[in-house]
Amino acid sequence: MICSSKFVFSNDFLHYYFHGDHPFNQKRLLLTRELLEAAHMLKPEAILLPRKATDDELALFHDRSYIEAVKQASVGRLSTEEGLAFGLGTEDTPIFEGMHEASAYLVGGTLEAVDKVLTGQSTHALNLGGGLHHGFKRKASGFCIYNDSAVAIRYIRKKYNLRVLYVDTDAHHGDGVQWAFYDDPDVCTFSIHETGRYLFPGTGNVNERGIKNGHGFSFNLPIDAFTEDASFLEVYQTALIEIASFFKPDVIITQNGADAHCYDPLTHLCGTMSLFEQIPLLAHEIAHQYCKGRWIALGGGGYDIWRVVPRAWAQLWNVMSNGEIVYGALPDQWLSKWQDESPVTLPKNWQDDPTTVPIIPRKQEITEKNKNTLIQLLKYTKTIES
């Protein structure tokens, strides 16, 4: 199914920059855009410029004292002690000049995507600069200053009064978004991620189900370290189909971290490009089955910015814009431009070589453990209980 889709991008996104040695590197956005352009898969008319989110919009989720602290940090006026109280100036989220403006543009990009979809001007919209899912109401966390997903969901609830399904496939648990809506029955959150036994932020257990009226609307599928494509997709697809049937959303927001790949330096999962092809295909199907096609997709984690993220996110756009994935060789123009700068050999094809994944001796044990976790999750849905 071919739909109208928008691709949010501006060079302003590249200003979200901690320092040269930090693993969060927004050059991946530029690499993705140029890969799509070199492959003739991104037309100029599809590009949507972001805007800067206002303080009032940021305050839909974030505490105003926190927003003010970020502003002060942006111009070097926040003390070390004050910064640490807000999670600013840590190893994960160091202070940098202009951090408020850079972060507000990422949030504004997501809000632009929301408005284009929910006013009917576009069926789908993609903001790869967004997906900063660890930010809290009054604290930065895990490379995330403002939580654009949480702001956007509050924006949707206030302006459009729609029920939102938030789906997070980042290898790290989408904790900031989950806790933001933990008591809200009109927002259903589903995160599949590497178990927190080994990985930041250490949350996302299957028994985190929500509280008060929101009990039963939070879903977590923590999968074992070294999980491969087949097991990931088996439990993910089964869970999402059941959750969507249970919740019946009006709009879907997906966070599309690309750090579940075996090349990623910060996680322990063993996915390949096949994973990042199948994930958006199911989201596309769910959006059209329940949401009249309304789908806002965001970026997220992904720390092998050369071999993994551009291909993964380009395939996400290919599904959003054309309803299908692309096969074959990557464009020579893109490879020749970036190979000299890349510290690793760039892949020549859209798909991975089958030998990419290392041999995992515990593969069967991991697969069974993930199936058992899925069973625990599914018993909570009304669909299964009935």
Side-chain angles (χ1 to χ4, degrees), residues 114-169:
V114 166
D115 280 333
K116 278 292 182 291
V117 170
L118 297 187
T119 57
Q121 298 176 65
S122 181
T123 311
H124 311 322
L126 173 61
N127 178 25
L128 293 173
L132 304 184
H133 59 170
H134 294 307
F136 292 103
K137 182 179 177 67
R138 51 181 291 113
K139 191 170 186 178
S141 178
F143 314 158
C144 306
I145 298 169
Y146 294 138
N147 190 324
D148 63 292
S149 302
V151 172
I153 294 171
R154 287 273 173 85
Y155 183 82
I156 291 170
R157 294 292 306 133
K158 180 178 180 180
K159 185 173 181 179
Y160 298 100
N161 193 30
L162 298 176
R163 287 160 52 83
V164 182
L165 173 59
Y166 170 82
V167 180
D168 192 318
T169 52

Short mmCIF file of all heavy atoms in Angstrom, two decimals, residues 114-169:
data_model
loop_
_atom_site.label_atom_id
_atom_site.label_comp_id
_atom_site.label_asym_id
_atom_site.label_seq_id
_atom_site.Cartn_x
_atom_site.Cartn_y
_atom_site.Cartn_z
N VAL A 114 3.44 14.94 13.96
CA VAL A 114 2.11 14.66 14.51
C VAL A 114 1.04 15.48 13.80
O VAL A 114 0.01 14.94 13.36
CB VAL A 114 2.10 14.96 16.02
CG1 VAL A 114 0.66 15.02 16.55
CG2 VAL A 114 2.89 13.91 16.78
N ASP A 115 1.27 16.78 13.67
CA ASP A 115 0.26 17.64 13.06
C ASP A 115 0.01 17.29 11.60
O ASP A 115 -1.14 17.31 11.13
CB ASP A 115 0.66 19.11 13.18
CG ASP A 115 0.36 19.68 14.56
OD1 ASP A 115 -0.57 19.19 15.23
OD2 ASP A 115 1.07 20.63 14.97
N LYS A 116 1.06 16.96 10.86
CA LYS A 116 0.87 16.61 9.45
C LYS A 116 0.01 15.36 9.31
O LYS A 116 -0.85 15.27 8.42
CB LYS A 116 2.23 16.37 8.77
CG LYS A 116 2.91 17.65 8.33
CD LYS A 116 2.14 18.32 7.19
CE LYS A 116 2.81 19.58 6.68
NZ LYS A 116 2.79 20.69 7.64
N VAL A 117 0.21 14.39 10.19
CA VAL A 117 -0.56 13.15 10.12
C VAL A 117 -1.98 13.35 10.64
O VAL A 117 -2.96 12.92 10.01
CB VAL A 117 0.15 12.03 10.91
CG1 VAL A 117 -0.75 10.81 11.06
CG2 VAL A 117 1.46 11.64 10.20
N LEU A 118 -2.12 14.02 11.76
CA LEU A 118 -3.44 14.09 12.40
C LEU A 118 -4.34 15.17 11.83
O LEU A 118 -5.53 15.22 12.16
CB LEU A 118 -3.27 14.25 13.91
CG LEU A 118 -2.56 13.06 14.59
CD1 LEU A 118 -2.58 13.20 16.09
CD2 LEU A 118 -3.19 11.73 14.18
N THR A 119 -3.82 16.03 10.96
CA THR A 119 -4.68 16.94 10.20
C THR A 119 -4.97 16.38 8.81
O THR A 119 -5.60 17.07 7.99
CB THR A 119 -4.03 18.33 10.08
OG1 THR A 119 -2.75 18.20 9.46
CG2 THR A 119 -3.89 18.99 11.44
N GLY A 120 -4.50 15.17 8.53
CA GLY A 120 -4.80 14.53 7.26
C GLY A 120 -3.95 14.97 6.10
O GLY A 120 -4.22 14.60 4.95
N GLN A 121 -2.89 15.75 6.35
CA GLN A 121 -2.03 16.20 5.26
C GLN A 121 -1.05 15.12 4.82
O GLN A 121 -0.46 15.21 3.75
CB GLN A 121 -1.27 17.45 5.69
CG GLN A 121 -2.17 18.63 6.03
CD GLN A 121 -1.38 19.81 6.54
OE1 GLN A 121 -0.58 20.41 5.81
NE2 GLN A 121 -1.57 20.16 7.80
N SER A 122 -0.84 14.12 5.67
CA SER A 122 0.04 13.01 5.36
C SER A 122 -0.45 11.78 6.11
O SER A 122 -1.03 11.91 7.20
CB SER A 122 1.48 13.35 5.78
OG SER A 122 2.36 12.29 5.47
N THR A 123 -0.24 10.62 5.54
CA THR A 123 -0.66 9.39 6.22
C THR A 123 0.35 8.99 7.28
O THR A 123 -0.01 8.61 8.40
CB THR A 123 -0.82 8.24 5.21
OG1 THR A 123 -1.60 8.69 4.11
CG2 THR A 123 -1.52 7.05 5.86
N HIS A 124 1.63 9.05 6.92
CA HIS A 124 2.72 8.70 7.82
C HIS A 124 3.71 9.86 7.88
O HIS A 124 3.79 10.68 6.96
CB HIS A 124 3.49 7.47 7.32
CG HIS A 124 2.65 6.30 6.94
ND1 HIS A 124 1.52 5.93 7.62
CD2 HIS A 124 2.78 5.40 5.92
CE1 HIS A 124 1.00 4.85 7.05
NE2 HIS A 124 1.75 4.52 6.01
N ALA A 125 4.49 9.92 8.97
CA ALA A 125 5.57 10.90 9.06
C ALA A 125 6.69 10.32 9.91
O ALA A 125 6.44 9.62 10.90
CB ALA A 125 5.08 12.22 9.66
N LEU A 126 7.92 10.64 9.51
CA LEU A 126 9.11 10.09 10.16
C LEU A 126 10.01 11.21 10.65
O LEU A 126 10.42 12.07 9.87
CB LEU A 126 9.88 9.22 9.15
CG LEU A 126 11.25 8.68 9.58
CD1 LEU A 126 11.14 7.78 10.80
CD2 LEU A 126 11.91 7.93 8.42
N ASN A 127 10.32 11.20 11.95
CA ASN A 127 11.30 12.12 12.51
C ASN A 127 12.42 11.32 13.15
O ASN A 127 12.34 10.94 14.32
CB ASN A 127 10.68 13.06 13.55
CG ASN A 127 11.73 13.99 14.16
OD1 ASN A 127 12.75 14.28 13.54
ND2 ASN A 127 11.48 14.46 15.37
N LEU A 128 13.47 11.08 12.40
CA LEU A 128 14.59 10.29 12.90
C LEU A 128 15.38 11.04 13.97
O LEU A 128 16.14 10.44 14.73
CB LEU A 128 15.51 9.89 11.75
CG LEU A 128 14.91 8.91 10.76
CD1 LEU A 128 15.83 8.72 9.56
CD2 LEU A 128 14.60 7.57 11.42
N GLY A 129 15.19 12.35 14.06
CA GLY A 129 15.84 13.12 15.12
C GLY A 129 15.19 12.92 16.47
O GLY A 129 15.75 13.31 17.50
N GLY A 130 14.00 12.34 16.48
CA GLY A 130 13.28 12.11 17.73
C GLY A 130 13.52 10.73 18.29
O GLY A 130 14.46 10.04 17.92
N GLY A 131 12.65 10.33 19.20
CA GLY A 131 12.77 9.02 19.83
C GLY A 131 13.64 9.03 21.07
O GLY A 131 14.16 7.99 21.48
N LEU A 132 13.78 10.22 21.72
CA LEU A 132 14.63 10.33 22.91
C LEU A 132 13.81 9.92 24.13
O LEU A 132 13.31 10.76 24.88
CB LEU A 132 15.17 11.76 23.03
CG LEU A 132 15.94 12.24 21.78
CD1 LEU A 132 16.54 13.61 22.02
CD2 LEU A 132 17.05 11.25 21.41
N HIS A 133 13.73 8.63 24.35
CA HIS A 133 12.73 8.04 25.23
C HIS A 133 13.12 7.92 26.69
O HIS A 133 12.34 7.45 27.50
CB HIS A 133 12.33 6.66 24.70
CG HIS A 133 13.46 5.69 24.59
ND1 HIS A 133 13.27 4.35 24.33
CD2 HIS A 133 14.81 5.83 24.70
CE1 HIS A 133 14.43 3.73 24.28
NE2 HIS A 133 15.38 4.61 24.50
N HIS A 134 14.33 8.35 27.07
CA HIS A 134 14.76 8.21 28.46
C HIS A 134 14.54 9.48 29.30
O HIS A 134 14.71 9.44 30.52
CB HIS A 134 16.25 7.85 28.53
CG HIS A 134 16.57 6.50 27.98
ND1 HIS A 134 15.93 5.36 28.39
CD2 HIS A 134 17.49 6.13 27.04
CE1 HIS A 134 16.44 4.32 27.72
NE2 HIS A 134 17.37 4.76 26.90
N GLY A 135 14.22 10.60 28.67
CA GLY A 135 14.06 11.85 29.41
C GLY A 135 12.89 11.78 30.38
O GLY A 135 11.82 11.24 30.06
N PHE A 136 13.07 12.35 31.57
CA PHE A 136 12.02 12.38 32.58
C PHE A 136 11.45 13.79 32.74
O PHE A 136 11.96 14.75 32.16
CB PHE A 136 12.57 11.87 33.91
CG PHE A 136 12.90 10.41 33.90
CD1 PHE A 136 14.22 9.99 33.80
CD2 PHE A 136 11.90 9.45 33.97
CE1 PHE A 136 14.54 8.65 33.77
CE2 PHE A 136 12.21 8.10 33.95
CZ PHE A 136 13.53 7.70 33.86
N LYS A 137 10.43 13.89 33.56
CA LYS A 137 9.72 15.15 33.76
C LYS A 137 10.67 16.27 34.17
O LYS A 137 10.57 17.39 33.66
CB LYS A 137 8.64 14.97 34.82
CG LYS A 137 7.78 16.19 35.09
CD LYS A 137 6.73 15.89 36.14
CE LYS A 137 5.90 17.10 36.48
NZ LYS A 137 5.06 17.54 35.35
N ARG A 138 11.60 15.97 35.06
CA ARG A 138 12.52 17.00 35.53
C ARG A 138 13.96 16.50 35.58
O ARG A 138 14.74 16.91 36.44
CB ARG A 138 12.08 17.58 36.87
CG ARG A 138 11.79 16.59 37.95
CD ARG A 138 11.35 17.25 39.26
NE ARG A 138 12.44 17.97 39.89
CZ ARG A 138 12.51 19.29 40.04
NH1 ARG A 138 11.55 20.07 39.57
NH2 ARG A 138 13.53 19.86 40.67
N LYS A 139 14.30 15.59 34.66
CA LYS A 139 15.66 15.07 34.69
C LYS A 139 16.07 14.50 33.33
O LYS A 139 15.30 13.76 32.71
CB LYS A 139 15.78 13.98 35.76
CG LYS A 139 17.21 13.56 36.05
CD LYS A 139 17.28 12.66 37.28
CE LYS A 139 18.72 12.35 37.64
NZ LYS A 139 18.83 11.51 38.85
N ALA A 140 17.27 14.82 32.90
CA ALA A 140 17.85 14.21 31.69
C ALA A 140 18.37 12.83 32.04
O ALA A 140 18.74 12.55 33.18
CB ALA A 140 18.98 15.08 31.15
N SER A 141 18.38 11.95 31.05
CA SER A 141 18.84 10.59 31.29
C SER A 141 19.18 9.92 29.97
O SER A 141 18.50 10.14 28.96
CB SER A 141 17.74 9.79 32.01
OG SER A 141 18.13 8.44 32.22
N GLY A 142 20.22 9.09 29.98
CA GLY A 142 20.52 8.24 28.84
C GLY A 142 20.61 8.94 27.50
O GLY A 142 19.98 8.51 26.53
N PHE A 143 21.37 10.03 27.42
CA PHE A 143 21.59 10.80 26.19
C PHE A 143 20.39 11.67 25.82
O PHE A 143 20.41 12.32 24.77
CB PHE A 143 21.93 9.91 24.98
CG PHE A 143 22.96 8.85 25.22
CD1 PHE A 143 23.02 7.72 24.39
CD2 PHE A 143 23.89 8.94 26.24
CE1 PHE A 143 23.97 6.74 24.60
CE2 PHE A 143 24.85 7.96 26.45
CZ PHE A 143 24.88 6.85 25.63
N CYS A 144 19.34 11.66 26.64
CA CYS A 144 18.08 12.33 26.28
C CYS A 144 17.83 13.53 27.19
O CYS A 144 17.73 13.36 28.42
CB CYS A 144 16.91 11.35 26.37
SG CYS A 144 17.13 9.84 25.41
N ILE A 145 17.70 14.69 26.61
CA ILE A 145 17.44 15.91 27.38
C ILE A 145 15.93 16.15 27.48
O ILE A 145 15.36 16.13 28.57
CB ILE A 145 18.18 17.11 26.75
CG1 ILE A 145 19.69 16.85 26.78
CG2 ILE A 145 17.83 18.41 27.47
CD1 ILE A 145 20.50 17.82 25.97
N TYR A 146 15.28 16.36 26.36
CA TYR A 146 13.81 16.44 26.34
C TYR A 146 13.27 15.14 25.74
O TYR A 146 13.84 14.58 24.80
CB TYR A 146 13.32 17.63 25.52
CG TYR A 146 13.67 18.98 26.10
CD1 TYR A 146 14.11 20.02 25.29
CD2 TYR A 146 13.55 19.22 27.47
CE1 TYR A 146 14.43 21.26 25.82
CE2 TYR A 146 13.87 20.45 28.01
CZ TYR A 146 14.31 21.47 27.18
OH TYR A 146 14.63 22.70 27.71
N ASN A 147 12.15 14.69 26.25
CA ASN A 147 11.52 13.46 25.79
C ASN A 147 10.45 13.81 24.76
O ASN A 147 9.31 14.11 25.12
CB ASN A 147 10.92 12.71 26.98
CG ASN A 147 10.45 11.31 26.64
OD1 ASN A 147 9.95 11.07 25.54
ND2 ASN A 147 10.58 10.40 27.58
N ASP A 148 10.83 13.80 23.50
CA ASP A 148 9.90 14.23 22.45
C ASP A 148 8.69 13.31 22.34
O ASP A 148 7.58 13.77 22.03
CB ASP A 148 10.61 14.33 21.10
CG ASP A 148 11.14 12.99 20.62
OD1 ASP A 148 12.07 12.46 21.25
OD2 ASP A 148 10.63 12.47 19.62
N SER A 149 8.88 12.02 22.60
CA SER A 149 7.74 11.09 22.52
C SER A 149 6.69 11.43 23.56
O SER A 149 5.48 11.47 23.26
CB SER A 149 8.22 9.65 22.74
OG SER A 149 9.19 9.29 21.79
N ALA A 150 7.12 11.67 24.80
CA ALA A 150 6.17 11.98 25.87
C ALA A 150 5.48 13.31 25.61
O ALA A 150 4.26 13.44 25.81
CB ALA A 150 6.90 12.01 27.22
N VAL A 151 6.23 14.31 25.16
CA VAL A 151 5.62 15.60 24.82
C VAL A 151 4.59 15.40 23.71
O VAL A 151 3.46 15.92 23.78
CB VAL A 151 6.69 16.62 24.38
CG1 VAL A 151 6.03 17.89 23.84
CG2 VAL A 151 7.61 16.96 25.55
N ALA A 152 4.95 14.64 22.68
CA ALA A 152 4.05 14.45 21.54
C ALA A 152 2.77 13.71 21.94
O ALA A 152 1.67 14.05 21.47
CB ALA A 152 4.77 13.68 20.43
N ILE A 153 2.89 12.72 22.80
CA ILE A 153 1.69 11.99 23.22
C ILE A 153 0.77 12.89 24.03
O ILE A 153 -0.46 12.87 23.84
CB ILE A 153 2.09 10.72 24.00
CG1 ILE A 153 2.82 9.74 23.08
CG2 ILE A 153 0.85 10.05 24.60
CD1 ILE A 153 3.45 8.56 23.80
N ARG A 154 1.33 13.70 24.94
CA ARG A 154 0.50 14.65 25.67
C ARG A 154 -0.15 15.65 24.71
O ARG A 154 -1.30 16.05 24.88
CB ARG A 154 1.37 15.41 26.70
CG ARG A 154 1.78 14.56 27.90
CD ARG A 154 0.72 14.59 29.00
NE ARG A 154 1.04 13.67 30.06
CZ ARG A 154 1.85 13.92 31.09
NH1 ARG A 154 2.44 15.11 31.16
NH2 ARG A 154 2.06 13.01 32.01
N TYR A 155 0.59 16.06 23.71
CA TYR A 155 0.09 16.99 22.68
C TYR A 155 -1.09 16.36 21.93
O TYR A 155 -2.12 17.01 21.70
CB TYR A 155 1.25 17.30 21.74
CG TYR A 155 0.99 18.30 20.64
CD1 TYR A 155 1.05 19.66 20.88
CD2 TYR A 155 0.75 17.87 19.33
CE1 TYR A 155 0.87 20.59 19.86
CE2 TYR A 155 0.57 18.78 18.30
CZ TYR A 155 0.63 20.14 18.57
OH TYR A 155 0.44 21.04 17.54
N ILE A 156 -0.94 15.10 21.57
CA ILE A 156 -2.03 14.39 20.88
C ILE A 156 -3.25 14.28 21.77
O ILE A 156 -4.39 14.51 21.33
CB ILE A 156 -1.55 12.99 20.44
CG1 ILE A 156 -0.51 13.10 19.33
CG2 ILE A 156 -2.73 12.14 19.97
CD1 ILE A 156 0.19 11.79 19.02
N ARG A 157 -3.06 13.93 23.02
CA ARG A 157 -4.19 13.77 23.93
C ARG A 157 -4.91 15.10 24.12
O ARG A 157 -6.15 15.14 24.15
CB ARG A 157 -3.69 13.24 25.29
CG ARG A 157 -3.13 11.85 25.27
CD ARG A 157 -4.20 10.78 24.98
NE ARG A 157 -5.29 10.92 25.93
CZ ARG A 157 -6.57 10.92 25.58
NH1 ARG A 157 -6.92 10.78 24.31
NH2 ARG A 157 -7.50 11.06 26.49
N LYS A 158 -4.16 16.20 24.25
CA LYS A 158 -4.77 17.50 24.50
C LYS A 158 -5.42 18.09 23.25
O LYS A 158 -6.55 18.60 23.31
CB LYS A 158 -3.70 18.48 25.02
CG LYS A 158 -4.24 19.87 25.32
CD LYS A 158 -3.14 20.77 25.87
CE LYS A 158 -3.69 22.16 26.18
NZ LYS A 158 -2.62 23.06 26.72
N LYS A 159 -4.74 18.02 22.12
CA LYS A 159 -5.22 18.69 20.90
C LYS A 159 -6.18 17.84 20.08
O LYS A 159 -7.13 18.38 19.49
CB LYS A 159 -4.01 19.09 20.04
CG LYS A 159 -4.37 19.90 18.81
CD LYS A 159 -3.14 20.41 18.09
CE LYS A 159 -3.50 21.25 16.87
NZ LYS A 159 -2.27 21.75 16.18
N TYR A 160 -5.96 16.52 20.05
CA TYR A 160 -6.74 15.65 19.17
C TYR A 160 -7.59 14.63 19.90
O TYR A 160 -8.44 13.99 19.28
CB TYR A 160 -5.80 14.93 18.20
CG TYR A 160 -5.03 15.87 17.29
CD1 TYR A 160 -3.70 16.20 17.57
CD2 TYR A 160 -5.62 16.42 16.16
CE1 TYR A 160 -2.99 17.05 16.74
CE2 TYR A 160 -4.91 17.28 15.32
CZ TYR A 160 -3.59 17.59 15.62
OH TYR A 160 -2.90 18.44 14.79
N ASN A 161 -7.35 14.43 21.19
CA ASN A 161 -8.13 13.51 22.02
C ASN A 161 -8.21 12.11 21.40
O ASN A 161 -9.27 11.49 21.31
CB ASN A 161 -9.55 14.05 22.25
CG ASN A 161 -10.27 13.28 23.34
OD1 ASN A 161 -9.67 12.77 24.28
ND2 ASN A 161 -11.60 13.20 23.21
N LEU A 162 -7.05 11.59 20.99
CA LEU A 162 -6.99 10.26 20.40
C LEU A 162 -6.25 9.30 21.33
O LEU A 162 -5.39 9.70 22.12
CB LEU A 162 -6.26 10.32 19.05
CG LEU A 162 -6.92 11.17 17.95
CD1 LEU A 162 -6.04 11.21 16.71
CD2 LEU A 162 -8.31 10.64 17.60
N ARG A 163 -6.58 8.03 21.22
CA ARG A 163 -5.91 6.98 21.98
C ARG A 163 -4.63 6.57 21.26
O ARG A 163 -4.64 6.29 20.06
CB ARG A 163 -6.83 5.77 22.15
CG ARG A 163 -7.95 6.02 23.15
CD ARG A 163 -9.11 5.05 22.96
NE ARG A 163 -8.70 3.65 22.95
CZ ARG A 163 -8.50 2.92 24.03
NH1 ARG A 163 -8.63 3.45 25.24
NH2 ARG A 163 -8.17 1.64 23.93
N VAL A 164 -3.52 6.54 22.00
CA VAL A 164 -2.19 6.39 21.41
C VAL A 164 -1.58 5.05 21.81
O VAL A 164 -1.51 4.71 22.99
CB VAL A 164 -1.25 7.52 21.84
CG1 VAL A 164 0.12 7.36 21.18
CG2 VAL A 164 -1.85 8.89 21.54
N LEU A 165 -1.11 4.31 20.81
CA LEU A 165 -0.28 3.13 21.05
C LEU A 165 1.16 3.51 20.75
O LEU A 165 1.50 3.89 19.63
CB LEU A 165 -0.71 1.97 20.15
CG LEU A 165 0.19 0.72 20.18
CD1 LEU A 165 0.28 0.13 21.59
CD2 LEU A 165 -0.30 -0.33 19.19
N TYR A 166 2.01 3.42 21.78
CA TYR A 166 3.43 3.72 21.65
C TYR A 166 4.20 2.41 21.65
O TYR A 166 4.11 1.63 22.60
CB TYR A 166 3.89 4.61 22.80
CG TYR A 166 5.39 4.80 22.88
CD1 TYR A 166 6.03 5.75 22.07
CD2 TYR A 166 6.17 4.04 23.75
CE1 TYR A 166 7.42 5.91 22.14
CE2 TYR A 166 7.54 4.20 23.82
CZ TYR A 166 8.16 5.13 23.01
OH TYR A 166 9.52 5.29 23.07
N VAL A 167 4.95 2.16 20.57
CA VAL A 167 5.69 0.91 20.41
C VAL A 167 7.18 1.23 20.31
O VAL A 167 7.60 1.99 19.44
CB VAL A 167 5.24 0.15 19.14
CG1 VAL A 167 6.02 -1.14 18.98
CG2 VAL A 167 3.73 -0.11 19.20
N ASP A 168 7.97 0.62 21.19
CA ASP A 168 9.39 0.95 21.33
C ASP A 168 10.22 -0.31 21.08
O ASP A 168 10.16 -1.26 21.85
CB ASP A 168 9.63 1.48 22.74
CG ASP A 168 10.98 2.12 22.93
OD1 ASP A 168 11.97 1.56 22.44
OD2 ASP A 168 11.05 3.17 23.60
N THR A 169 11.01 -0.32 20.00
CA THR A 169 11.83 -1.49 19.66
C THR A 169 13.32 -1.23 19.86
O THR A 169 14.16 -1.98 19.38
CB THR A 169 11.56 -1.95 18.21
OG1 THR A 169 11.71 -0.83 17.32
CG2 THR A 169 10.16 -2.50 18.07
#
